[in-house]
Amino acid sequence: MKALQVSRSVPKLGMARLASAVSPLAAAKLGPLAYTTVDEPELPGPGWHRVHTRLAGICGSDLSLVEGHASLYFDDVVSFPFVPGHEVVGELDDGTRVILEPVLGHEARGFAPPFEGAAPGDGDDYSHLSTGALEPGIQTGFCCSTGGGWAPTFVAHESQLHRIGDMPDERAVLVEPFAGGIHAALLAAPVVAARQDTTRPAVVAVLGAGTMGLAAIAGLRRYVPDVEIIVGARYPHQQMLAKAYGADVVVGPDGLQRAVRRATGCHLIGDHLSSGAHVTIDAVGTSATVADSLRITRPRGRVVLLGMPAEVTVDLTGLWHRETELKGAYTYGTEHLPDGRTARTFDLAIETATAVEAERLLSATYPLSDHVDAIAHAATAGRRGAVKIAFDMRTGDT
Amino acid sequence: MPRPGFVLDVDRSTPPTLFWHGEGFRLEKLPADRSRVIYAPEPHDAIDDVDGAIRTALLHPIDMDPLPSLLFPGMKLTIAFDDVSLPLPKMRRPDLRQRIIEQVLTMAADAGVDDVHLIAALALHRRMHEFELRHALGDRVYDAFEPRGLLFQHDAEDPDNLAFLGTTDQGEEIEINKRAAESDLLIYVNINLVAMDGGWKSTAVGLASYRSLRHHHNPTTMEASHSFMDQHASELHKSTWRMGKVMRDHGPKVFQIETTLNTDTFPQPFEFLAKREWEWNAKDRALYLASAKALAKAPPRTARKIFHGIEAPHQMTSIQCGEVEAVHKVTTQNVYDQQLVEVEGQTDILMLGIPYICPYNVNSIMNPILVMCTGLGYFFNLYRGKPLVREGGVVILTHPTTNEFHPVHHPSYIDFFEEVLADTTDPHVMSQKWEQQYAEDDWYRHLYRTTNAYHGVHPFYMWYWGSHGMKHVGKVIIVGGDAATVRKLGFTPASTMNDALEIASDTVGRHPTITHMKTPPLMIADVK
């Protein structure tokens, strides 16, 4: 079958990295991603299904890979060559439509789950990611054994599949990023609940309003009570969507610090707020946004890194002095909600995607063969007025 | 003999008219046979012997005893003076405040007075920089007082140094600087640039706290002031005069010193700015072209530096001292004598070129809030009788109106623009919903008290200044302004004057009457 595949090629990764500084289009052309013929992956064993992709989204982590910016950290937990694509809605051989929860957890690799009912992302020992029945890979879309959503067909373990009834594909393809955003939102909840002054809402700042930022906003509004959500969003359509998804205040990125200051009534001392947001969710993940997050988060507050940061350069003096907590937010799992419930993040994401009609974030779809244009569109989505770009394989025309 | 103001009816032979456009200019050809241009009166003759006139005034005050007879050993003497917002542009050295204060101090020394404080009457304005204080007071006075801790800048947020004097019969509270309130004599040194200045506004506003100022600096009072330049039709002035009565009954003895200036506003090479265009000679045209082109190419910072470096040649035309109201009556008449221009009837469209400066951006940036305030607060109110533009008419301003703020001088303006204007442009709504939050914001208070920032509430006051104008007109258009910024102000952007007239036609029809008030130089339209 014809699919998009990433191979381990140091020269191509280097070329992509260089080319991405010029244009995403060039990076997609010169980089490690190729539109090529690949074998359909074998079913690894019982409990595995063949999934026929309908829509597969392009995520920020996919882009950093294609553009050669992915961290060396992943070297031992991915296996080449692999077919990317982890934001997927597809159908099983019997026609059942499913969403993929892409994390390749314990069960998929033939291990007992860390606790009964655990989600694939749960656990505090990641040894299973590079052992067991599959080649190394943190998720479907980074593992050569399973294939990925940027192909007409891949394989997935039962533990990874969510059957979706009549949910439209365009909404279903957004569930995975929504789960990521909601997970980050729920990481704010303990700090919000533990705050000293409960006479005023807690302030949660969100940097960036791409898909993940918007999902975090929707998650905060839906699952974390008593918060004032302040968002720094660059583009007008992002600002409009942030407002629609429940942000209380939406400003341009340059105005975020002042907006947080106004909301908290604190001072601006040098380039740091004297107090600031209880929690800041960085949905961008660059050196600049991590530094900005530290500047606007109050002492002993929490910065949640939702956007994958890769290598950043940040002065951590402020973090040290203010005892700021830096918290990663990778994927999803089992959540403990402020109202006492326990739920799988994916279930919350399905609920939220339906409530906010997440399909309006899907801006454009492309066939796999137009991957260069698709990648370029996704890489420049914000300034082109778009949010989510996906590959569409429903017509069989790849 | 200086010529009076002049109203030019534009015909086909009229040359293009110069409009102020921030730190630049534009020439606009106005439609013939239905446009007119109002030119300011030429500068009146200045007093030759300024120091002699000051001395004479101090020795022969109105309705008070001569100053030396009010001074005695052991007394507490406070001299308050107008801040950096006056005059505009700043005057050449020596500043009038210096010349007056030096003579007052000499008399005080002769009388054996040794407890003297100087106070810059800032109200909620920013603290002056050292170079600005030195310019206003002169090095001799500054060096004598500042190092000894006797030169103060009024702090309207210092509860330990405010004194409550009472309330007016309408419940307006009067709280002013404690040192001034407890002095045996408070001397106020004023420069009366426009008819709005002076009188009780000097002390009851310049030395007051937010608690006091909010009684007249609010949309209701401002909206009902028709205009600020006509004390008897201004609710703002009526309120301050009521406060003045309380001050007279319960406050310190006030010796008011008021001065007026002529309208000699621009030095070389900018003197063509005060000339009528059809009288421009070859040199004027060359200077216009050279400066317009150079300014257009210069980075904004450079252009700003050039303009704020201007020291005006304006000169004192009168000085009067003594009892506040009696003094101010004479002062106001002198201002009117210099600035009034008779204008027959209102107009459909009023055009105002907004210059680089207003009272609140000296050595700073004319931010969008101040553009609005200068256009609809100050220039719109330069009338006596009726507004120049009819009710429901259109005001067209020319200014670049960029989204640019001075971060040190105007910190709360930035937030006001971002937060308050995003919510409402209605002065009444914002006063109810937002004013208190900004007025009591601890950071703004800290910056006002310790740096050179305007008070947190100040952008609200600037917006309120324009409330009468906003209510009166049907549409406001800004030519040449940044479109997004102009829209955020609630106004309509236009690229060219022709576009603006086309847009205005929706409101005032296809053949409106047009009036361009070409100011500065300052003038007051006496609209019949």
Side-chain angles (χ1 to χ4, degrees), chain A residues 204-210 212-214 217 230-234 253 256 260 280-286 288-294 296-297 303-304 306-307:
Chain A
V204 179
V206 180
L207 273 83
M212 299 303 285
L214 292 168
I217 294 162
I230 303 176
V231 178
R234 184 173 302 281
L256 184 61
V260 172
T280 300
I281 297 175
D282 178 0
V284 181
T286 63
T289 57
V290 174
D292 287 345
S293 299
L294 293 172
I296 65 172
T297 305
V303 172
V304 177
L306 173 58

PDB file of all heavy atoms in Angstrom, chain A residues 204-210 212-214 217 230-234 253 256 260 280-286 288-294 296-297 303-304 306-307:
ATOM      1  N   VAL A 204      -5.836  30.662  35.718  1.00  0.00           N
ATOM      2  CA  VAL A 204      -5.066  29.729  34.898  1.00  0.00           C
ATOM      3  C   VAL A 204      -4.798  30.411  33.559  1.00  0.00           C
ATOM      4  O   VAL A 204      -5.728  30.839  32.874  1.00  0.00           O
ATOM      5  CB  VAL A 204      -5.811  28.407  34.673  1.00  0.00           C
ATOM      6  CG1 VAL A 204      -4.977  27.472  33.796  1.00  0.00           C
ATOM      7  CG2 VAL A 204      -6.112  27.722  36.002  1.00  0.00           C
ATOM      8  N   ALA A 205      -3.536  30.539  33.234  1.00  0.00           N
ATOM      9  CA  ALA A 205      -3.156  31.155  31.964  1.00  0.00           C
ATOM     10  C   ALA A 205      -2.839  30.060  30.949  1.00  0.00           C
ATOM     11  O   ALA A 205      -2.274  29.018  31.319  1.00  0.00           O
ATOM     12  CB  ALA A 205      -1.947  32.050  32.163  1.00  0.00           C
ATOM     13  N   VAL A 206      -3.208  30.288  29.729  1.00  0.00           N
ATOM     14  CA  VAL A 206      -2.906  29.335  28.657  1.00  0.00           C
ATOM     15  C   VAL A 206      -2.151  30.085  27.566  1.00  0.00           C
ATOM     16  O   VAL A 206      -2.654  31.080  27.026  1.00  0.00           O
ATOM     17  CB  VAL A 206      -4.187  28.704  28.079  1.00  0.00           C
ATOM     18  CG1 VAL A 206      -3.834  27.717  26.965  1.00  0.00           C
ATOM     19  CG2 VAL A 206      -4.995  27.999  29.172  1.00  0.00           C
ATOM     20  N   LEU A 207      -0.960  29.608  27.265  1.00  0.00           N
ATOM     21  CA  LEU A 207      -0.186  30.203  26.173  1.00  0.00           C
ATOM     22  C   LEU A 207      -0.411  29.387  24.916  1.00  0.00           C
ATOM     23  O   LEU A 207      -0.060  28.199  24.868  1.00  0.00           O
ATOM     24  CB  LEU A 207       1.308  30.174  26.491  1.00  0.00           C
ATOM     25  CG  LEU A 207       1.910  31.323  27.278  1.00  0.00           C
ATOM     26  CD1 LEU A 207       1.679  31.097  28.741  1.00  0.00           C
ATOM     27  CD2 LEU A 207       3.403  31.409  26.995  1.00  0.00           C
ATOM     28  N   GLY A 208      -0.980  30.007  23.923  1.00  0.00           N
ATOM     29  CA  GLY A 208      -1.188  29.327  22.658  1.00  0.00           C
ATOM     30  C   GLY A 208      -2.595  28.780  22.545  1.00  0.00           C
ATOM     31  O   GLY A 208      -3.150  28.238  23.512  1.00  0.00           O
ATOM     32  N   ALA A 209      -3.172  28.956  21.373  1.00  0.00           N
ATOM     33  CA  ALA A 209      -4.541  28.484  21.146  1.00  0.00           C
ATOM     34  C   ALA A 209      -4.628  27.770  19.806  1.00  0.00           C
ATOM     35  O   ALA A 209      -5.524  28.014  19.001  1.00  0.00           O
ATOM     36  CB  ALA A 209      -5.531  29.648  21.218  1.00  0.00           C
ATOM     37  N   GLY A 210      -3.642  26.891  19.587  1.00  0.00           N
ATOM     38  CA  GLY A 210      -3.788  25.914  18.513  1.00  0.00           C
ATOM     39  C   GLY A 210      -4.711  24.822  19.044  1.00  0.00           C
ATOM     40  O   GLY A 210      -5.405  24.996  20.057  1.00  0.00           O
ATOM     41  N   MET A 212      -4.196  22.081  20.717  1.00  0.00           N
ATOM     42  CA  MET A 212      -3.969  21.639  22.094  1.00  0.00           C
ATOM     43  C   MET A 212      -4.374  22.714  23.095  1.00  0.00           C
ATOM     44  O   MET A 212      -4.988  22.421  24.136  1.00  0.00           O
ATOM     45  CB  MET A 212      -2.494  21.272  22.293  1.00  0.00           C
ATOM     46  CG  MET A 212      -2.016  20.135  21.410  1.00  0.00           C
ATOM     47  SD  MET A 212      -2.981  18.638  21.624  1.00  0.00           S
ATOM     48  CE  MET A 212      -2.351  18.071  23.176  1.00  0.00           C
ATOM     49  N   GLY A 213      -4.014  23.940  22.806  1.00  0.00           N
ATOM     50  CA  GLY A 213      -4.402  25.025  23.708  1.00  0.00           C
ATOM     51  C   GLY A 213      -5.918  25.127  23.818  1.00  0.00           C
ATOM     52  O   GLY A 213      -6.472  25.285  24.915  1.00  0.00           O
ATOM     53  N   LEU A 214      -6.590  25.033  22.674  1.00  0.00           N
ATOM     54  CA  LEU A 214      -8.053  25.111  22.692  1.00  0.00           C
ATOM     55  C   LEU A 214      -8.655  23.945  23.462  1.00  0.00           C
ATOM     56  O   LEU A 214      -9.637  24.107  24.208  1.00  0.00           O
ATOM     57  CB  LEU A 214      -8.584  25.145  21.254  1.00  0.00           C
ATOM     58  CG  LEU A 214      -8.255  26.425  20.473  1.00  0.00           C
ATOM     59  CD1 LEU A 214      -8.556  26.237  18.987  1.00  0.00           C
ATOM     60  CD2 LEU A 214      -9.033  27.609  21.029  1.00  0.00           C
ATOM     61  N   ILE A 217      -8.299  24.636  27.089  1.00  0.00           N
ATOM     62  CA  ILE A 217      -9.285  25.633  27.528  1.00  0.00           C
ATOM     63  C   ILE A 217     -10.646  24.962  27.738  1.00  0.00           C
ATOM     64  O   ILE A 217     -11.313  25.164  28.765  1.00  0.00           O
ATOM     65  CB  ILE A 217      -9.400  26.764  26.476  1.00  0.00           C
ATOM     66  CG1 ILE A 217      -8.093  27.543  26.402  1.00  0.00           C
ATOM     67  CG2 ILE A 217     -10.578  27.684  26.799  1.00  0.00           C
ATOM     68  CD1 ILE A 217      -7.945  28.372  25.140  1.00  0.00           C
ATOM     69  N   ILE A 230      -7.290  32.754  31.299  1.00  0.00           N
ATOM     70  CA  ILE A 230      -6.736  33.870  30.526  1.00  0.00           C
ATOM     71  C   ILE A 230      -5.840  33.296  29.435  1.00  0.00           C
ATOM     72  O   ILE A 230      -4.917  32.532  29.724  1.00  0.00           O
ATOM     73  CB  ILE A 230      -5.934  34.825  31.426  1.00  0.00           C
ATOM     74  CG1 ILE A 230      -6.851  35.332  32.558  1.00  0.00           C
ATOM     75  CG2 ILE A 230      -5.374  35.986  30.628  1.00  0.00           C
ATOM     76  CD1 ILE A 230      -6.146  36.201  33.561  1.00  0.00           C
ATOM     77  N   VAL A 231      -6.107  33.654  28.220  1.00  0.00           N
ATOM     78  CA  VAL A 231      -5.440  33.008  27.086  1.00  0.00           C
ATOM     79  C   VAL A 231      -4.663  34.037  26.253  1.00  0.00           C
ATOM     80  O   VAL A 231      -5.185  35.111  25.939  1.00  0.00           O
ATOM     81  CB  VAL A 231      -6.477  32.307  26.189  1.00  0.00           C
ATOM     82  CG1 VAL A 231      -5.808  31.668  24.988  1.00  0.00           C
ATOM     83  CG2 VAL A 231      -7.245  31.256  26.989  1.00  0.00           C
ATOM     84  N   GLY A 232      -3.459  33.666  25.909  1.00  0.00           N
ATOM     85  CA  GLY A 232      -2.694  34.443  24.939  1.00  0.00           C
ATOM     86  C   GLY A 232      -2.730  33.720  23.602  1.00  0.00           C
ATOM     87  O   GLY A 232      -2.187  32.625  23.471  1.00  0.00           O
ATOM     88  N   ALA A 233      -3.428  34.282  22.641  1.00  0.00           N
ATOM     89  CA  ALA A 233      -3.606  33.636  21.330  1.00  0.00           C
ATOM     90  C   ALA A 233      -3.183  34.609  20.247  1.00  0.00           C
ATOM     91  O   ALA A 233      -3.553  35.779  20.271  1.00  0.00           O
ATOM     92  CB  ALA A 233      -5.059  33.216  21.138  1.00  0.00           C
ATOM     93  N   ARG A 234      -2.419  34.105  19.287  1.00  0.00           N
ATOM     94  CA  ARG A 234      -1.821  35.011  18.308  1.00  0.00           C
ATOM     95  C   ARG A 234      -2.812  35.473  17.248  1.00  0.00           C
ATOM     96  O   ARG A 234      -2.842  36.650  16.891  1.00  0.00           O
ATOM     97  CB  ARG A 234      -0.625  34.341  17.638  1.00  0.00           C
ATOM     98  CG  ARG A 234       0.132  35.241  16.670  1.00  0.00           C
ATOM     99  CD  ARG A 234       1.400  34.573  16.163  1.00  0.00           C
ATOM    100  NE  ARG A 234       2.304  34.199  17.225  1.00  0.00           N
ATOM    101  CZ  ARG A 234       3.119  35.049  17.853  1.00  0.00           C
ATOM    102  NH1 ARG A 234       3.137  36.314  17.504  1.00  0.00           N
ATOM    103  NH2 ARG A 234       3.911  34.623  18.808  1.00  0.00           N
ATOM    104  N   PRO A 253      -0.477  37.368  22.373  1.00  0.00           N
ATOM    105  CA  PRO A 253       0.591  36.818  23.223  1.00  0.00           C
ATOM    106  C   PRO A 253       1.334  37.898  23.995  1.00  0.00           C
ATOM    107  O   PRO A 253       1.702  37.694  25.153  1.00  0.00           O
ATOM    108  CB  PRO A 253       1.526  36.136  22.222  1.00  0.00           C
ATOM    109  CG  PRO A 253       0.743  35.976  20.977  1.00  0.00           C
ATOM    110  CD  PRO A 253      -0.329  37.015  20.966  1.00  0.00           C
ATOM    111  N   LEU A 256      -0.422  38.931  27.348  1.00  0.00           N
ATOM    112  CA  LEU A 256      -0.812  37.934  28.354  1.00  0.00           C
ATOM    113  C   LEU A 256      -0.311  38.300  29.750  1.00  0.00           C
ATOM    114  O   LEU A 256      -1.040  38.190  30.734  1.00  0.00           O
ATOM    115  CB  LEU A 256      -0.295  36.550  27.943  1.00  0.00           C
ATOM    116  CG  LEU A 256      -0.730  35.406  28.862  1.00  0.00           C
ATOM    117  CD1 LEU A 256      -2.242  35.279  28.893  1.00  0.00           C
ATOM    118  CD2 LEU A 256      -0.112  34.096  28.407  1.00  0.00           C
ATOM    119  N   VAL A 260      -2.733  38.819  32.975  1.00  0.00           N
ATOM    120  CA  VAL A 260      -2.628  38.043  34.219  1.00  0.00           C
ATOM    121  C   VAL A 260      -2.403  38.990  35.399  1.00  0.00           C
ATOM    122  O   VAL A 260      -2.970  38.834  36.473  1.00  0.00           O
ATOM    123  CB  VAL A 260      -1.500  36.999  34.116  1.00  0.00           C
ATOM    124  CG1 VAL A 260      -1.244  36.330  35.459  1.00  0.00           C
ATOM    125  CG2 VAL A 260      -1.850  35.951  33.067  1.00  0.00           C
ATOM    126  N   THR A 280      -0.011  27.880  34.820  1.00  0.00           N
ATOM    127  CA  THR A 280       0.114  28.300  33.421  1.00  0.00           C
ATOM    128  C   THR A 280       0.280  27.049  32.569  1.00  0.00           C
ATOM    129  O   THR A 280       1.110  26.188  32.879  1.00  0.00           O
ATOM    130  CB  THR A 280       1.324  29.223  33.231  1.00  0.00           C
ATOM    131  OG1 THR A 280       1.142  30.379  34.051  1.00  0.00           O
ATOM    132  CG2 THR A 280       1.461  29.650  31.782  1.00  0.00           C
ATOM    133  N   ILE A 281      -0.502  26.950  31.539  1.00  0.00           N
ATOM    134  CA  ILE A 281      -0.379  25.824  30.612  1.00  0.00           C
ATOM    135  C   ILE A 281       0.295  26.351  29.345  1.00  0.00           C
ATOM    136  O   ILE A 281      -0.246  27.218  28.655  1.00  0.00           O
ATOM    137  CB  ILE A 281      -1.762  25.236  30.282  1.00  0.00           C
ATOM    138  CG1 ILE A 281      -2.406  24.662  31.555  1.00  0.00           C
ATOM    139  CG2 ILE A 281      -1.633  24.155  29.200  1.00  0.00           C
ATOM    140  CD1 ILE A 281      -3.824  24.155  31.373  1.00  0.00           C
ATOM    141  N   ASP A 282       1.470  25.845  29.097  1.00  0.00           N
ATOM    142  CA  ASP A 282       2.208  26.248  27.901  1.00  0.00           C
ATOM    143  C   ASP A 282       1.862  25.269  26.781  1.00  0.00           C
ATOM    144  O   ASP A 282       2.359  24.147  26.751  1.00  0.00           O
ATOM    145  CB  ASP A 282       3.709  26.248  28.184  1.00  0.00           C
ATOM    146  CG  ASP A 282       4.525  26.612  26.950  1.00  0.00           C
ATOM    147  OD1 ASP A 282       3.923  26.869  25.888  1.00  0.00           O
ATOM    148  OD2 ASP A 282       5.770  26.641  27.050  1.00  0.00           O
ATOM    149  N   ALA A 283       1.027  25.705  25.884  1.00  0.00           N
ATOM    150  CA  ALA A 283       0.589  24.833  24.793  1.00  0.00           C
ATOM    151  C   ALA A 283       1.391  25.086  23.526  1.00  0.00           C
ATOM    152  O   ALA A 283       0.960  24.728  22.427  1.00  0.00           O
ATOM    153  CB  ALA A 283      -0.903  25.052  24.523  1.00  0.00           C
ATOM    154  N   VAL A 284       2.554  25.715  23.668  1.00  0.00           N
ATOM    155  CA  VAL A 284       3.420  25.978  22.514  1.00  0.00           C
ATOM    156  C   VAL A 284       4.705  25.158  22.650  1.00  0.00           C
ATOM    157  O   VAL A 284       5.018  24.342  21.795  1.00  0.00           O
ATOM    158  CB  VAL A 284       3.724  27.479  22.380  1.00  0.00           C
ATOM    159  CG1 VAL A 284       4.603  27.731  21.153  1.00  0.00           C
ATOM    160  CG2 VAL A 284       2.426  28.278  22.276  1.00  0.00           C
ATOM    161  N   GLY A 285       5.446  25.423  23.723  1.00  0.00           N
ATOM    162  CA  GLY A 285       6.619  24.609  23.985  1.00  0.00           C
ATOM    163  C   GLY A 285       7.892  25.078  23.326  1.00  0.00           C
ATOM    164  O   GLY A 285       8.658  24.270  22.809  1.00  0.00           O
ATOM    165  N   THR A 286       8.143  26.388  23.375  1.00  0.00           N
ATOM    166  CA  THR A 286       9.419  26.905  22.888  1.00  0.00           C
ATOM    167  C   THR A 286      10.158  27.528  24.064  1.00  0.00           C
ATOM    168  O   THR A 286       9.587  27.715  25.139  1.00  0.00           O
ATOM    169  CB  THR A 286       9.209  27.990  21.817  1.00  0.00           C
ATOM    170  OG1 THR A 286       8.524  29.088  22.429  1.00  0.00           O
ATOM    171  CG2 THR A 286       8.389  27.466  20.651  1.00  0.00           C
ATOM    172  N   ALA A 288      10.938  30.511  24.386  1.00  0.00           N
ATOM    173  CA  ALA A 288      10.283  31.782  24.730  1.00  0.00           C
ATOM    174  C   ALA A 288       9.024  31.557  25.556  1.00  0.00           C
ATOM    175  O   ALA A 288       8.779  32.271  26.536  1.00  0.00           O
ATOM    176  CB  ALA A 288       9.943  32.554  23.453  1.00  0.00           C
ATOM    177  N   THR A 289       8.230  30.553  25.177  1.00  0.00           N
ATOM    178  CA  THR A 289       6.975  30.376  25.911  1.00  0.00           C
ATOM    179  C   THR A 289       7.206  29.751  27.280  1.00  0.00           C
ATOM    180  O   THR A 289       6.484  30.051  28.228  1.00  0.00           O
ATOM    181  CB  THR A 289       5.965  29.532  25.111  1.00  0.00           C
ATOM    182  OG1 THR A 289       6.546  28.269  24.788  1.00  0.00           O
ATOM    183  CG2 THR A 289       5.544  30.241  23.840  1.00  0.00           C
ATOM    184  N   VAL A 290       8.224  28.897  27.391  1.00  0.00           N
ATOM    185  CA  VAL A 290       8.534  28.359  28.720  1.00  0.00           C
ATOM    186  C   VAL A 290       8.990  29.502  29.628  1.00  0.00           C
ATOM    187  O   VAL A 290       8.552  29.623  30.781  1.00  0.00           O
ATOM    188  CB  VAL A 290       9.608  27.253  28.637  1.00  0.00           C
ATOM    189  CG1 VAL A 290      10.028  26.816  30.031  1.00  0.00           C
ATOM    190  CG2 VAL A 290       9.081  26.058  27.839  1.00  0.00           C
ATOM    191  N   ALA A 291       9.842  30.371  29.089  1.00  0.00           N
ATOM    192  CA  ALA A 291      10.304  31.518  29.885  1.00  0.00           C
ATOM    193  C   ALA A 291       9.128  32.422  30.252  1.00  0.00           C
ATOM    194  O   ALA A 291       9.017  32.882  31.396  1.00  0.00           O
ATOM    195  CB  ALA A 291      11.359  32.292  29.100  1.00  0.00           C
ATOM    196  N   ASP A 292       8.252  32.669  29.282  1.00  0.00           N
ATOM    197  CA  ASP A 292       7.072  33.503  29.568  1.00  0.00           C
ATOM    198  C   ASP A 292       6.205  32.865  30.646  1.00  0.00           C
ATOM    199  O   ASP A 292       5.673  33.551  31.520  1.00  0.00           O
ATOM    200  CB  ASP A 292       6.235  33.691  28.298  1.00  0.00           C
ATOM    201  CG  ASP A 292       6.900  34.628  27.302  1.00  0.00           C
ATOM    202  OD1 ASP A 292       7.844  35.341  27.704  1.00  0.00           O
ATOM    203  OD2 ASP A 292       6.482  34.647  26.130  1.00  0.00           O
ATOM    204  N   SER A 293       6.059  31.564  30.567  1.00  0.00           N
ATOM    205  CA  SER A 293       5.224  30.865  31.555  1.00  0.00           C
ATOM    206  C   SER A 293       5.789  31.037  32.958  1.00  0.00           C
ATOM    207  O   SER A 293       5.053  31.262  33.919  1.00  0.00           O
ATOM    208  CB  SER A 293       5.148  29.373  31.210  1.00  0.00           C
ATOM    209  OG  SER A 293       4.573  29.190  29.939  1.00  0.00           O
ATOM    210  N   LEU A 294       7.099  30.933  33.063  1.00  0.00           N
ATOM    211  CA  LEU A 294       7.712  31.090  34.389  1.00  0.00           C
ATOM    212  C   LEU A 294       7.527  32.515  34.905  1.00  0.00           C
ATOM    213  O   LEU A 294       7.377  32.731  36.104  1.00  0.00           O
ATOM    214  CB  LEU A 294       9.202  30.744  34.307  1.00  0.00           C
ATOM    215  CG  LEU A 294       9.504  29.269  34.020  1.00  0.00           C
ATOM    216  CD1 LEU A 294      10.995  29.068  33.751  1.00  0.00           C
ATOM    217  CD2 LEU A 294       9.060  28.385  35.186  1.00  0.00           C
ATOM    218  N   ILE A 296       4.993  34.521  34.408  1.00  0.00           N
ATOM    219  CA  ILE A 296       3.622  34.927  34.755  1.00  0.00           C
ATOM    220  C   ILE A 296       2.980  33.993  35.782  1.00  0.00           C
ATOM    221  O   ILE A 296       1.823  34.180  36.143  1.00  0.00           O
ATOM    222  CB  ILE A 296       2.723  35.012  33.507  1.00  0.00           C
ATOM    223  CG1 ILE A 296       2.537  33.631  32.864  1.00  0.00           C
ATOM    224  CG2 ILE A 296       3.289  35.989  32.512  1.00  0.00           C
ATOM    225  CD1 ILE A 296       1.507  33.636  31.751  1.00  0.00           C
ATOM    226  N   THR A 297       3.722  33.006  36.239  1.00  0.00           N
ATOM    227  CA  THR A 297       3.171  32.061  37.223  1.00  0.00           C
ATOM    228  C   THR A 297       3.601  32.472  38.622  1.00  0.00           C
ATOM    229  O   THR A 297       4.765  32.828  38.838  1.00  0.00           O
ATOM    230  CB  THR A 297       3.664  30.634  36.915  1.00  0.00           C
ATOM    231  OG1 THR A 297       3.333  30.324  35.571  1.00  0.00           O
ATOM    232  CG2 THR A 297       3.014  29.616  37.839  1.00  0.00           C
ATOM    233  N   VAL A 303       3.697  25.282  36.294  1.00  0.00           N
ATOM    234  CA  VAL A 303       3.716  25.451  34.836  1.00  0.00           C
ATOM    235  C   VAL A 303       3.541  24.073  34.212  1.00  0.00           C
ATOM    236  O   VAL A 303       4.311  23.149  34.511  1.00  0.00           O
ATOM    237  CB  VAL A 303       5.035  26.090  34.346  1.00  0.00           C
ATOM    238  CG1 VAL A 303       5.104  26.078  32.828  1.00  0.00           C
ATOM    239  CG2 VAL A 303       5.168  27.514  34.876  1.00  0.00           C
ATOM    240  N   VAL A 304       2.538  23.927  33.393  1.00  0.00           N
ATOM    241  CA  VAL A 304       2.271  22.648  32.740  1.00  0.00           C
ATOM    242  C   VAL A 304       2.751  22.745  31.294  1.00  0.00           C
ATOM    243  O   VAL A 304       2.296  23.617  30.540  1.00  0.00           O
ATOM    244  CB  VAL A 304       0.763  22.325  32.770  1.00  0.00           C
ATOM    245  CG1 VAL A 304       0.489  21.024  32.019  1.00  0.00           C
ATOM    246  CG2 VAL A 304       0.269  22.225  34.213  1.00  0.00           C
ATOM    247  N   LEU A 306       2.459  21.502  27.977  1.00  0.00           N
ATOM    248  CA  LEU A 306       1.599  20.707  27.104  1.00  0.00           C
ATOM    249  C   LEU A 306       2.211  20.582  25.710  1.00  0.00           C
ATOM    250  O   LEU A 306       2.228  19.512  25.126  1.00  0.00           O
ATOM    251  CB  LEU A 306       0.209  21.365  27.032  1.00  0.00           C
ATOM    252  CG  LEU A 306      -0.791  20.785  26.048  1.00  0.00           C
ATOM    253  CD1 LEU A 306      -1.042  19.314  26.315  1.00  0.00           C
ATOM    254  CD2 LEU A 306      -2.115  21.564  26.144  1.00  0.00           C
ATOM    255  N   GLY A 307       2.698  21.680  25.189  1.00  0.00           N
ATOM    256  CA  GLY A 307       3.401  21.621  23.910  1.00  0.00           C
ATOM    257  C   GLY A 307       4.730  20.920  24.102  1.00  0.00           C
ATOM    258  O   GLY A 307       5.424  21.144  25.090  1.00  0.00           O
TER     259      GLY A 307
END
